[in-house]
Amino acid sequence: MPAEIEPVVDPRAVVGTPQPILVDGSLALRPWRVSDVGSLVTAYADPAIRHWHTRTMDADEARAWVASEQAAWQEARRASWAVEQETLFAGRMTLRLNLAGGTAEAAYWTVPTARGRGVAPRALEAAVAWAFRTGFHRVELQHSTRNEPSCRVALSVGFAAEGTRRAAGLHADGWHDMHLHGRVGP
Ligand SMILES: CC(C)(COP(=O)(O)OP(=O)(O)OC[C@H]1O[C@@H](n2cnc3c(N)ncnc32)[C@H](O)[C@@H]1OP(=O)(O)O)[C@@H](O)C(=O)NCCC(=O)NCCS
């Protein structure tokens, strides 16, 4: 049955995005490359990243992950960036894209040595600005109610708290209630 409403976002607007996205003199969001494999393996050695992102990452898994993020970008399914601070690898920012509805869902982490300096909020703000420029009208994110630093990131970038999804996120230690945050723009 034909849709009555055209997709909100044109995939060509996503795939044609000039890269990298520069936040300011010191922070950049850039596409993933095979040379990030070592940094990814090191990042997932951090218990907090492994716990909240519920996966392992050895070298083979990291190579497959980079390839899948590159493919997802080309197919306009995810906007997925490595975050660099002063040219050093500092983290990950991903938007899962829903072109039909014009919404995106953010996920992020920063490496332990980059934490506490506002890298995640600035990278999230840049991703949101990109999303609104590209035609998305809403960006949302979810975090476990036990992940206070992530809640602070969301609130600091203007993501309103929209409620709690009970027992919605499965982690290694069981089901967690998940906070839903959203920002509607531009
Ligand atoms: C949550 C996370 C992305 C925050 O990134 P960040 O770049 O440190 O962001 P900020 O610098 O704004 O710090 C956010 C909060 O982390 C806390 N924090 C500060 N320094 C910290 C440190 N050295 N280590 C851990 N947390 C710290 C603070 O509570 C801060 O909130 P505040 O600014 O209101 O005091 C990062 O801690 C992380 O990657 N954690 C593990 C993975 C994760 O939780 N991902 C999100 C899943 S939803």
Side-chain angles (χ1 to χ4, degrees), residues 52-53 108-110 115-121 143 147 149-150 152:
W52 295 122
H53 296 271
Y108 46 78
W109 44 254
T110 53
R115 287 184 195 149
R117 297 188 212 153
V119 169
H143 64 81
N147 190 344
S150 186
R152 300 263 261 275

